[in-house]
Amino acid sequence: VTLRALALALLLLSPLQAGAARRFALVVGNDRGGEGTRPLRYAEDDARRMFDILVRLGGVLPEDAQLLLGKDAPALWKAVDRLEQRGREAQSQHEPAVLFVYFSGHAKDGALRMNDSQAPLADLRQRLVQSQIEVRVAVIDACRSGVLVRTKGAHLAPAFEVDDAQKQGAHGLVVLTSSAGDEDSQESDALQGSIFTHHLASGLLGSADRSGDGRVTLSEAYAYAYARTVAGTANTASGVQHPTYDYELRGNGDLVITDVAARTEGLMVPGAAPDGTYWIVDDQGAIAAELEKRGGVDRRIALAPGAYVVTRRLSDHLRLGQLHVRSGALSVLDEPTLKDAAFADDPVKGAVEDVRARLTTRPVLGVGLGYSSFVVQPQAGMFASAPLLQLRLDLDHAMSDHFGLGFALWFGGSQSALAIGQGTLPFSYGQFGATADVLYDVWPRDDWRPVVGGRMAWMLMTRTFQDPSLPKQIYSTFAPGALLGLRRELWDHLIVSADLVGHYGVYTLSTTSRSLVNVELDLRLAWGF
Amino acid sequence: MQTGRRMRRQALLLLALATSGCGGNYSNDDVEFLVALPTKDALTVRVPAQSQALGTDASFHKLTVETAESVNAGLAQMLNLVDLIKALPPTQRLPDARLWGPWPDDQSPGFEVEFVLTRETDHFKYAFQERRKGVGDFVPLIEGTYFTDTAHTGHGTLDVHFKAANTLKGVTDLGTANLLEGEVVYVNDVNPRSVKTQLSSLDGNGNPASIRYEYLEHPDHSGELLYEATADFANNGGAPEHLHVWAQWTASGAGRADARADKGAFDTAQFDRDDFTQCWDSTFGEVYFDSELQKSGVNVAPGIGCSTDGRTKCPVGDLSSCVLPGKTP
């Protein structure tokens, strides 16, 4: 199905207005994804936020909404069953029904991860496809959640176009996911939430109301979230994140998700206010909404009652002010009351141009055993193979999600012998070293993490002959090297690692230099802090 | 363009620096050369002895121990020089040679020394050489050879040219120790292991003098030391005396010495030599002693010695208590 065909199909459809049907919402958030995943920071906060928006603005009655935080997969299926049952009951009383399912958390290997349990995405999709509720909308904010729509044709594109000329009821399923099937979904400390949910929520509050009718439809929310998520992740270390959508709607229309105009309380940015992007920051320091103001149109943001800071960025300074949204009252932004401020005072500093990935620097301290062998050496038998003991400190994600640093010290030794004529000279061989590595974590969020890297090593080799009349030999060299590694997180902190390393050095004796190639295999147990 | 080339050069320089090694002091070849140099193990004379000599030790055993210590002390001076060389990486490496130096001779200002170690077809040879700084050829003061097929054993020679050293440095006042030549031959690749040393010199009267040591070490740790000297021991300006001692011992330390003093003061009308035999047990205490003044092999004065000191020249003990069969040196 092409985008154009989709647009044409949806052109005939009308929005299902909030309140026109009985709405049910299952909102799920889980910071923990069990083995092989690292706890998220904001998944449950995202869920709370979406739950609040759906209940406050989305026409979902509190008794028809269920918020699951930190629960296992069985609780998800039980809640789906319950809301399905309630939806069918509503439909039996001739009330059209809409079911929203929102999930924020880990997804991996085709399943939502909920603590140590899993909910296969295929099963979820099957449940939604087979649901008898007329309209089902699933929003999945999780890594590689695009898998959910992959088999049905994921669309990495701006939103479908809709028109509200038709008043037919909708039937079918819409699935929105935060990222494509091969992408990570990112959280942002600056936004205090996942990037996709932040923009989706901001859009649902009114930022996405492109038509200016005070209602935010599914297509508007998606278009807004798509554009902002792609833009906001374009420069992140984890790479750009493309939300996807899939639909199976028959005779359907676009869906009004939130009715901003229905709420009297909130913020209005009048058409006379200067164009530009306004950030509204709540009293917790989180960005409650972003508003792109264009073209002299009044824009409303359905903010919950509370104190906020409004900021608008200019090229060389900020405009900054405070406002208070009172219950049942619409606050109107009076832009001239904003004060000039320096960028240093920006409460949303970092949220715009530097959306950080969810991975922060993680020290990993490990001890390991290795085996070193010189495959190319100046003279046969000069440097012996030897087992090594290694102490290593990794700073995973020190430079970005993918790039980290590693430092290691090692020592080891063996007994060997130098052939002289028909005899041998036994010697004790010693090897010491120190390295600094720059490592690229190929899949920094996965259980199995391949790592490649470059290193600079300082190597010291010694030979102490059994014959005390022969002098001790000491040789040291700086040797650049390359590393291929694999990391596997066994539990939350315990990591097992294997590295294969090659070093190249030069053996210089008087004026003669010869190549020195060393290969090392290391196995480590490490503790990640 | 120039900037690009400069940056590439800088990058190459950095890479070269990054990969440059340091402390590369010995190659396998170096070690093979060093193995050719004599070691303490190869040159040491080992005579069983108590950690502290007791007054009751048999006199010839004491003399043998002191002689061995004297030989070892002399050889140690040369070994110290060798150790000094071994501790330093070669100054120059050639395919079949290593060269250390030249360096200024701290003991002799204005002179410089070098050490050359050369690999020949079937052996190594080396020389410690000296010359006036920058003047003429180097003069070998110590020369050696070493033949080996294995890393541990071989045989070699070591010649010390005392006369050449004195000549080079213009030393004329040599006092009473006017050494001319020293020669060491050592074998540790066949049994018995041996160290043979000979020194020739002039005594205080300008007469030729020599001293010879022959040490044999058997696989069962028994051994022999023969030492022989010709010099004016009587210091009477006459013909030099000749002393010859052959000491043998078992692994337990018990042994015997057969000695002869002749010539010089020992060559008289009544006798022409004095023969001694002494045996000692594993505690080094004397178990047999006999001394005979002889003329042409006949004991001409039995008992004469007994009257001189009452003991040392009188037969003591039973010859059968000697653990080694009597041998004629």
Side-chain angles (χ1 to χ4, degrees):
Chain A
V1 178
T2 65
L3 184 62
R4 180 172 293 178
L6 174 62
L8 188 62
L10 293 175
L11 199 61
L12 304 173
L13 310 178
S14 65
L16 261 172
Q17 297 184 25
R22 181 81 175 269
R23 297 182 163 213
F24 300 90
L26 171 58
V27 180
V28 182
N30 198 321
D31 287 336
R32 306 186 71 82
E35 184 185 359
T37 63
R38 209 168 298 163
L40 299 169
R41 293 184 179 182
Y42 306 113
E44 293 175 15
D45 291 344
D46 288 341
R48 287 189 192 92
R49 192 173 183 197
M50 287 300 295
F51 183 84
D52 172 70
I53 289 172
L54 289 172
V55 171
R56 196 163 55 84
L57 305 171
V60 181
L61 298 172
E63 59 269 29
D64 291 337
Q66 186 162 1
L67 176 63
L68 295 180
L69 297 177
K71 303 292 187 188
D72 292 338
L76 169 70
W77 300 127
K78 190 174 174 185
V80 170
D81 288 344
R82 175 174 167 273
L83 292 177
E84 169 75 21
Q85 174 65 29
R86 294 187 57 135
R88 283 205 300 269
E89 288 171 6
Q91 288 177 161
S92 69
Q93 294 173 17
H94 308 292
E95 282 185 288
V98 175
L99 172 63
F100 294 102
V101 176
Y102 170 88
F103 175 87
S104 181
H106 275 294
K108 192 171 172 58
D109 302 328
L112 302 177
R113 305 287 289 266
M114 303 175 71
N115 302 325
D116 291 324
S117 63
Q118 301 184 10
L121 285 165
D123 292 356
L124 177 61
R125 183 181 183 88
Q126 189 66 17
R127 295 287 287 269
L128 293 173
V129 167
Q130 293 175 347
S131 169
Q132 294 178 22
I133 295 179
E134 287 166 311
V135 176
R136 289 85 65 198
V137 178
V139 178
I140 308 298
D141 187 351
C143 288
R144 299 168 194 191
S145 47
V147 168
L148 187 62
V149 298
R150 181 183 288 165
T151 54
K152 290 293 184 180
H155 298 270
L156 275 67
F160 33 88
E161 296 293 332
V162 295
D163 183 84
D164 61 357
Q166 298 292 321
K167 300 295 183 186
Q168 296 174 331
H171 300 272
L173 170 64
V174 175
V175 178
L176 306 184
T177 67
S178 59
S179 59
D182 57 353
E183 292 174 349
D184 291 334
S185 292
Q186 303 171 49
E187 285 186 327
S188 164
D189 288 338
L191 298 175
Q192 298 188 24
S194 100
I195 295 171
F196 172 75
T197 292
H198 166 77
H199 292 301
L200 181 65
S202 180
L204 292 175
L205 288 175
S207 303
D209 182 19
R210 190 171 40 183
S211 65
D213 62 357
R215 297 178 300 171
V216 180
T217 66
L218 182 61
S219 61
E220 285 177 325
Y222 175 74
Y224 180 85
Y226 176 90
R228 303 308 295 259
T229 300
V230 170
T233 57
N235 295 321
T236 61
S238 295
V240 65
Q241 174 183 335
H242 298 87
T244 66
Y245 72 84
D246 184 29
Y247 73 99
E248 289 179 359
L249 290 177
R250 298 175 302 279
N252 52 359
D254 196 6
L255 199 62
V256 172
I257 304 296
T258 54
D259 191 346
V260 178
R263 299 291 299 188
T264 53
E265 68 202 12
L267 169 69
M268 188 178 78
V269 180
D275 287 352
T277 303
Y278 293 77
W279 282 274
I280 297 97
V281 181
D282 67 17
D283 56 1
Q284 302 298 312
I287 300 174
E290 294 177 36
L291 176 65
E292 193 71 29
K293 166 80 176 53
R294 293 279 181 270
V297 178
D298 291 351
R299 298 297 301 273
R300 288 183 63 159
I301 301 294
L303 297 174
Y308 297 90
V309 172
V310 179
T311 180
R312 184 167 74 90
R313 278 185 159 237
L314 299 168
S315 61
D316 56 349
H317 68 284
L318 299 173
R319 300 280 290 158
L320 203 66
Q322 293 187 329
L323 64 88
H324 200 92
V325 176
R326 291 181 175 78
S327 181
L330 185 67
S331 295
V332 178
L333 178 68
D334 185 9
E335 204 281 338
T337 65
L338 301 183
K339 294 178 179 174
D340 290 340
F343 285 126
D345 300 326
D346 191 350
V348 293
K349 186 178 179 183
V352 181
E353 70 272 9
D354 181 24
V355 178
R356 281 199 295 123
R358 65 182 61 176
L359 299 177
T360 55
T361 300
R362 184 193 198 196
V364 179
L365 192 60
V367 292
L369 295 174
Y371 193 79
S372 162
S373 186
F374 286 84
V375 293
V376 175
Q377 47 181 326
Q379 291 169 321
M382 187 159 211
F383 300 121
S385 299
L388 304 173
L389 185 63
Q390 187 189 61
L391 181 64
R392 185 176 174 92
L393 172 66
D394 281 303
L395 298 175
D396 288 351
H397 327 300
M399 296 187 287
S400 69
D401 267 15
H402 289 279
F403 281 98
L405 299 171
F407 305 93
L409 294 172
W410 76 75
F411 65 91
S414 61
Q415 298 297 317
S416 188
L418 172 64
I420 298 282
Q422 296 172 13
T424 56
L425 285 175
F427 63 85
S428 297
Y429 172 75
Q431 189 174 326
F432 309 85
T435 64
D437 301 340
V438 176
L439 301 169
Y440 179 79
D441 213 328
V442 181
W443 300 319
R445 292 174 177 79
D446 282 7
D447 284 354
W448 292 95
R449 293 163 46 212
V451 171
V452 296
R455 75 162 38 168
M456 178 56 77
W458 175 76
M459 303 171 73
L460 175 76
M461 287 79 77
T462 66
R463 287 199 296 187
T464 306
F465 289 93
Q466 259 182 26
D467 181 346
S469 74
L470 292 173
K472 182 172 183 173
Q473 179 177 5
I474 299 174
Y475 185 78
S476 69
T477 184
F478 284 99
L483 177 148
L484 277 177
L486 196 58
R487 313 276 188 264
R488 163 78 167 143
E489 186 142 350
L490 296 178
W491 293 287
D492 274 355
H493 294 283
L494 192 62
I495 300 164
V496 61
S497 306
D499 289 338
L500 181 64
V501 189
H503 299 107
Y504 175 80
V506 172
Y507 181 85
T508 303
L509 200 63
S510 295
T511 56
T512 307
S513 293
R514 295 173 185 166
S515 293
L516 199 62
V517 178
N518 167 265
V519 175
E520 190 182 308
L521 179 65
D522 300 319
L523 297 173
R524 273 191 313 283
L525 271 181
W527 186 263
F529 295 93
Chain B
M1 199 67 168
Q2 280 185 339
T3 305
R5 275 201 294 271
R6 191 180 310 127
M7 288 184 67
R8 278 196 295 276
R9 278 201 301 274
Q10 286 171 349
L12 287 172
L13 179 64
L14 283 174
L15 183 62
L17 284 174
T19 59
S20 64
C22 44
N25 46 8
Y26 298 100
S27 67
N28 287 352
D29 254 6
D30 290 341
V31 173
E32 192 174 344
F33 275 97
L34 295 182
V35 165
L37 298 177
T39 64
K40 186 179 177 187
D41 256 5
L43 292 186
T44 299
V45 174
R46 301 182 188 88
V47 177
Q50 300 186 71
S51 57
Q52 193 168 2
L54 298 175
T56 56
D57 281 8
S59 55
F60 274 98
H61 173 258
K62 281 173 63 179
L63 179 62
T64 303
V65 170
E66 288 163 4
T67 302
E69 287 172 350
S70 170
V71 172
N72 288 339
L75 293 172
Q77 291 188 32
M78 279 181 285
L79 288 170
N80 287 342
L81 177 64
V82 168
D83 288 344
L84 188 67
I85 296 298
K86 283 183 174 177
L88 298 169
T91 309
Q92 192 177 350
R93 293 176 169 89
L94 300 171
D96 284 311
R98 294 294 186 271
L99 173 69
W100 284 260
W103 302 303
D105 181 354
D106 292 340
Q107 307 293 322
S108 305
F111 287 83
E112 58 184 356
V113 294
E114 68 171 17
F115 189 82
V116 182
L117 181 50
T118 311
R119 178 164 44 199
E120 305 291 334
T121 306
D122 62 346
H123 70 283
F124 289 86
K125 67 178 187 182
Y126 50 90
F128 177 79
Q129 310 180 128
E130 188 157 11
R131 68 174 180 183
R132 281 190 186 280
K133 191 170 183 182
V135 178
D137 293 335
F138 279 96
V139 176
L141 305 185
I142 299 173
E143 291 182 286
T145 62
Y146 187 68
F147 294 76
T148 182
D149 286 330
T150 71
H152 304 284
T153 58
H155 56 277
T157 64
L158 191 62
D159 297 324
V160 188
H161 309 302
F162 297 103
K163 185 178 179 182
N166 293 334
T167 303
L168 176 68
K169 296 180 181 175
V171 178
T172 54
D173 181 12
L174 299 170
T176 56
N178 192 349
L179 290 170
L180 301 175
E181 288 289 325
E183 183 185 354
V184 180
V185 178
Y186 61 99
V187 175
N188 60 12
D189 52 353
V190 293
N191 284 314
R193 171 177 164 265
S194 66
V195 181
K196 299 178 181 177
T197 305
Q198 177 142 0
L199 289 170
S200 62
S201 61
L202 298 176
D203 64 17
N205 299 314
N207 299 314
S210 69
I211 187 162
R212 179 169 72 98
Y213 308 93
E214 286 190 17
Y215 167 72
L216 299 178
E217 181 180 301
H218 298 282
D220 65 355
H221 299 297
S222 62
E224 306 171 32
L225 179 62
L226 183 151
Y227 41 106
E228 183 177 33
T230 302
D232 182 14
F233 292 109
N235 199 21
N236 56 11
E241 286 74 35
H242 172 247
L243 295 177
H244 182 285
V245 179
W246 182 31
Q248 306 170 80
W249 57 88
T250 66
S252 71
R256 70 179 279 169
D258 297 287
R260 172 173 295 171
D262 57 5
K263 301 183 181 172
F266 288 95
D267 192 4
T268 68
Q270 293 81 24
F271 53 86
D272 59 10
R273 64 183 185 238
D274 193 354
D275 286 343
F276 304 86
T277 298
Q278 186 180 44
C279 299
W280 56 89
D281 60 15
S282 58
T283 65
F284 312 113
E286 180 183 85
V287 294
Y288 177 79
F289 182 85
D290 190 17
S291 167
E292 292 180 351
L293 288 171
Q294 299 187 69
K295 181 74 172 179
S296 302
V298 177
N299 189 349
V300 296
I304 287 177
C306 291
S307 63
T308 59
D309 61 12
R311 190 190 75 81
T312 57
K313 292 191 177 180
C314 296
V316 171
D318 182 357
L319 184 61
S320 65
S321 64
C322 289
V323 295
L324 297 173
K327 293 180 186 175
T328 302

